[in-house]
Amino acid sequence: AQSVTQPDIHITVSEGASLELRCNYSYGATPYLFWYVQSPGQGLQLLLKYFSGDTLVQGIKGFEAEFKRSQSSFNLRKPSVHWSDAAEYFCAVASGSARQLTFGSGTQLTVLP
Amino acid sequence: DAGITQSPRYKITETGRQVTLMCHQTWSHSYMFWYRQDLGHGLRLIYYSAAADITDKGEVPDGYVVSRSKTENFPLTLESATRSQTSVYFCASSEGWAAAEQYFGPGTRLTVT
C-alpha cells in the first residue's frame, strides 16, 4: 500500500528565510505527487503536482518541489518565506491504479517576523 | 456562487444520534470525496463517488453512510454517532480520479458528546 511520511510536525522560520518541507513516499512505481496547503479554518488548496517529466515543478505562491526517485522524496521549497505562508502543508500521493489520495500527517509552518 | 460548500460548518451532537453533513458543488465534477481530519493523521478518506449512484469505500468507512442521487450533492451520514467520530470533515470534488486536482470545501467541525 502507498504511504506518505512528513517527518517534521512543526517548522519555524523567520520571514525572508528559505524553506524546505520534507516528504517521503512509499510506492513501487512512479506515483502522482501533490502538495496542498491549509490556512487556518480553511479547506485545502493545491500548491503543485508532479505526474511525469521535469522533476522540478513550479507551483503557486512561489513554491517549487523536486521529485527524487532515488530518495523517494518530493520536498517542497520556497526561497523566501512571507508571513502569509504560515499554514499547514500536506504532501499526498496517488498511485497509477488507486482512485484515492493518501495524505501525510502534515507540517505546521510558523513564520516569525 | 460557484464552488463547493458544506453545511453545517459546526455541529454538536450526542452519542447515538444520527447526523448528516451536506456537501454541494456547482462545477458538475464527476468525483466527490469525504475526508476526516484528526491531529496526527492528516486527512483520511471515508468514502468517494465517481458519479451519481456510484460510491465506494475509502480508508475509514465504518460508521458512515453516503449517497449520491444527484451529481452536485454528496451527503455523509453518521447513523449512530460515537465520540470517536468527533473530527473535522472535509468534502472535495474533482473532474477526474485521484490524479486530478481536488477542490476542498471549508469543512464541518463535528463534536460528539
Side-chain angles (χ1 to χ4, degrees), chain B residues 51-74:
Chain B
D53 298 322
I54 300 175
T55 63
D56 207 348
K57 296 178 180 179
E59 180 185 356
V60 289
D62 293 343
Y64 303 95
V65 175
V66 295
S67 62
R68 194 161 177 213
S69 56
K70 293 183 178 181
T71 299
E72 62 267 30
N73 296 324
F74 191 39

Side-chain angles (χ1 to χ4, degrees), chain A residues 36 38 43 51 90 98-100, chain B residues 31 37 45 90 97 99 102 105:
Chain A
Y36 281 83
Q38 183 182 28
F51 289 172
F90 292 93
R99 293 187 172 275
Q100 54 186 280
Chain B
Y31 279 78
Q37 183 178 31
L45 183 66
F90 287 98
W97 62 279
Q102 294 188 18

